[in-house]
RNA sequence: AACCCCGAGA
């Protein structure tokens, strides 16, 4: 039972839900009954893939089979509702679990605080933190990181910094994530001085910048139209032995595309393959966006073809921009082919 | 063995 559950969870975290489903079916055939661990792992696998209904169906099956949902099960369900901005059912489950005798833990509160922050309900999030303390549940560093991210996303950098001081006073040590949140907040507010000073403080505290830290910094330069320094930052990251991933390349490519430097963007794009990184649909859509802004329908179309050959689906914007360009160039036939492709892919042409 | 925080495009 434990081995199956471990394997199932591994596949779910890998994104191989199909493999997980097969193992789940096989264990039942072999007469091994899934327990609350197995069901919760499977439910999370579905939720990660955006398959809420399938996950909820598993929850029903679980109850039907007489397996009692526990704290983790409730946390997973609450997280799923928060992710979808459905705070009411999330709080209903919070009440339900308490009625059934499950005491919410820090993770439960964190999930709900994160949900409130995502909805920009920062006052409510702070109130909920107060409630958490009243109930005797000790906040974790994650609690503070979530709240700080809420402030940062709302552009309230003053409150974010105040919270940093509050947490330090409370004896919580900021982590690399804490600083990543702050740095991205500053750079989103176009405050590169603030971002730089947070970066400095991070290093002074002995925290090691991660791939995410560098991606945020690269993005800050790229957004400011300084791809030169963004590339410098990338090289500096590599010099510390950190490998960029699709996100890192995504911000670099986006910066170059926005500047209209398609040659530079394609160089970076090609360097991904030499690093054995598979460009994903976001990277392709970014490049298509860039080429369309250069009125280069030929290249955009080529990339759309390449995506399809690799099993990816361009987004509606990529189709729309390319079709418009083709029409402008009088290539109506090609445009119609694309329009048809869109319909087949399930998009409603706008 | 299962639950929470940070980074890219439209």
């Amino acid at each position: 039972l434990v081995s199956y559950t471990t394997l199932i969870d591994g596949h779910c975290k890998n994104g191989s839900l199909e493999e997980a489903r097969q193992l789940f079916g096989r264990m039942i055939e072999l007469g091994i009954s899934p327990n609350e661990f197995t069901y919760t792992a499977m439910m999370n696998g579905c939720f990660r893939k955006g398959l809420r209904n399938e996950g909820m169906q598993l929850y029903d099956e679980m109850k039907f089979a007489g397996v009692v949902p526990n704290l983790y099960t409730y946390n997973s369900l609450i997280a799923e509702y928060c992710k979808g901005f459905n705070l009411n059912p999330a709080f209903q489950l919070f009440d339900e679990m308490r009625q059934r005798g499950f005491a919410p833990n820090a993770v439960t509160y964190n999930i709900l605080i994160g949900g409130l922050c995502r909805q920009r309900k920062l006052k409510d999030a702070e109130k909920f933190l107060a409630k958490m303390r009243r109930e005797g549940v000790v906040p974790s560093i994650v609690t503070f990181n979530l709240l700080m991210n809420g402030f940062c996303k709302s552009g309230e950098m003053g409150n974010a910094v105040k919270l940093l001081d509050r947490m330090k006073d409370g004896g919580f040590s900021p982590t690399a994530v804490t600083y990543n949140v702050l740095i991205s907040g500053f750079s989103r507010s176009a405050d590169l001085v603030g971002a730089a000073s947070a970066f400095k403080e991070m290093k002074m505290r002995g925290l090691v910048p991660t791939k995410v830290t560098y991606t945020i910094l690269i993005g800050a330069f790229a957004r400011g139209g300084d791809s030169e320094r963004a590339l410098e930052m990338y090289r500096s990251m590599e010099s510390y032995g950190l490998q960029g991933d699709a996100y890192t390349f995504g911000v670099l490519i986006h910066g170059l595309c926005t500047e209209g430097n398609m040659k530079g963007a394609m160089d970076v794009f090609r360097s991904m393959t030499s690093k054995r990184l598979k460009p994903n649909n976001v990277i392709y859509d970014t490049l298509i966006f860039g080429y369309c802004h250069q009125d280069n329908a030929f290249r955009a179309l080529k990339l759309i073809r390449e995506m399809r050959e690799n099993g990816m689906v361009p987004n509606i914007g990529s189709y729309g921009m390319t079709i418009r360009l083709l029409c402008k160039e009088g290539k109506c036939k090609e445009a119609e082919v694309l329009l048809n492709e869109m319909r087949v892919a399930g998009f409603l042409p706008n």
Side-chain angles (χ1 to χ4, degrees), chain A residues 196-217:
Chain A
S197 84
F199 185 49
K200 196 169 145 202
E201 183 177 321
M202 173 184 195
K203 289 187 290 192
M204 270 188 349
R205 292 184 73 99
L207 294 168
V208 181
T210 64
K211 173 166 70 182
V212 174
T213 318
Y214 282 101
T215 303
I216 293 165
L217 291 168

Side-chain angles (χ1 to χ4, degrees), chain A residues 13-282:
Chain A
K13 292 198 168 122
N14 242 316
S16 336
L17 182 59
E18 190 43 42
E19 316 264 343
R21 284 192 194 111
Q22 280 170 17
L23 279 172
F24 189 77
R26 206 156 81 215
M27 69 188 281
I28 293 173
E29 278 171 26
L30 292 175
I32 307 171
S33 307
N35 66 5
E36 61 275 34
F37 286 66
T38 327
Y39 275 109
T40 306
M42 276 299 294
M43 283 164 56
N44 280 310
C46 296
F47 293 155
R48 263 180 221 115
K49 289 255 160 177
L51 304 171
R52 175 181 290 185
N53 290 340
E54 187 177 341
M56 291 300 172
Q57 210 174 311
L58 279 160
Y59 178 54
D60 290 336
E61 277 174 31
M62 170 184 187
K63 289 186 289 188
F64 186 74
V67 178
V68 182
N70 68 6
L71 176 62
Y72 281 43
T73 318
Y74 277 109
N75 285 348
S76 304
L77 289 165
I78 293 171
E80 170 61 16
Y81 282 121
C82 285
K83 206 165 36 124
F85 295 93
N86 305 306
L87 288 186
N88 287 335
F91 278 101
Q92 270 167 27
L93 279 165
F94 177 77
D95 292 334
E96 179 187 315
M97 70 190 280
R98 298 208 297 176
Q99 279 158 20
R100 302 212 175 154
F102 293 101
N105 63 1
V107 172
T108 320
Y109 281 94
N110 288 346
I111 293 165
L112 287 161
I113 287 172
L116 289 165
C117 287
R118 289 208 331 140
Q119 305 238 43
R120 302 286 122 96
K121 297 182 168 168
L122 300 172
K123 286 270 170 294
D124 290 333
E126 289 202 273
K127 277 187 209 150
F128 205 61
L129 168 59
K131 178 185 173 67
M132 174 180 189
R133 292 192 141 120
R134 275 201 308 278
E135 305 273 337
V137 179
V138 181
S140 66
I141 186 69
V142 173
T143 319
F144 291 100
N145 290 345
L146 282 161
L147 251 181
M148 186 180 286
N149 197 30
F151 286 130
C152 288
K153 289 256 159 79
S154 306
E156 301 181 24
M157 292 312 294
N159 283 329
V161 171
K162 260 190 233 158
L163 186 63
L164 178 68
D165 292 333
R166 251 213 279 157
M167 60 195 273
K168 286 180 192 160
D169 291 344
F172 290 92
S173 300
T175 61
V177 172
T178 316
Y179 283 99
N180 288 346
V181 168
L182 263 181
I183 296 168
S184 86
F186 279 122
S187 76
R188 196 191 325 271
S189 316
D191 180 355
L192 293 193
V193 176
S197 84
F199 185 49
K200 196 169 145 202
E201 183 177 321
M202 173 184 195
K203 289 187 290 192
M204 270 188 349
R205 292 184 73 99
L207 294 168
V208 181
T210 64
K211 173 166 70 182
V212 174
T213 318
Y214 282 101
T215 303
I216 293 165
L217 291 168
I218 291 167
F221 288 126
R223 199 172 309 130
D226 195 347
S227 287
E228 204 55 44
R229 296 188 72 185
L231 280 163
E232 244 171 61
M233 208 68 226
Y234 176 73
R235 284 188 282 269
S236 146
M237 163 179 168
E238 276 192 325
S239 75
Y240 286 105
L242 292 171
Q243 269 288 341
D245 61 12
Y247 283 83
T248 321
F249 286 93
V251 296
L252 263 177
I253 291 172
H254 182 240
L256 291 160
C257 286
T258 315
E259 284 177 13
N261 182 357
M262 293 312 294
K263 179 169 174 339
M266 285 310 285
D267 284 344
V268 173
F269 174 71
R270 277 187 280 262
S271 78
M272 286 184 77
T273 9
S274 66
K275 294 192 166 73
R276 294 170 179 286
L277 276 173
K278 285 245 177 299
N280 59 20
N281 58 323
V282 174

Side-chain angles (χ1 to χ4, degrees), chain A residues 317-334:
Chain A
S318 294
Y319 275 120
M321 286 184 296
T322 309
I323 289 172
R324 195 175 320 156
L325 256 186
L326 287 168
C327 291
K328 219 168 86 183
E329 295 180 2
K331 296 176 177 152
C332 301
K333 286 223 180 53
E334 276 106 325

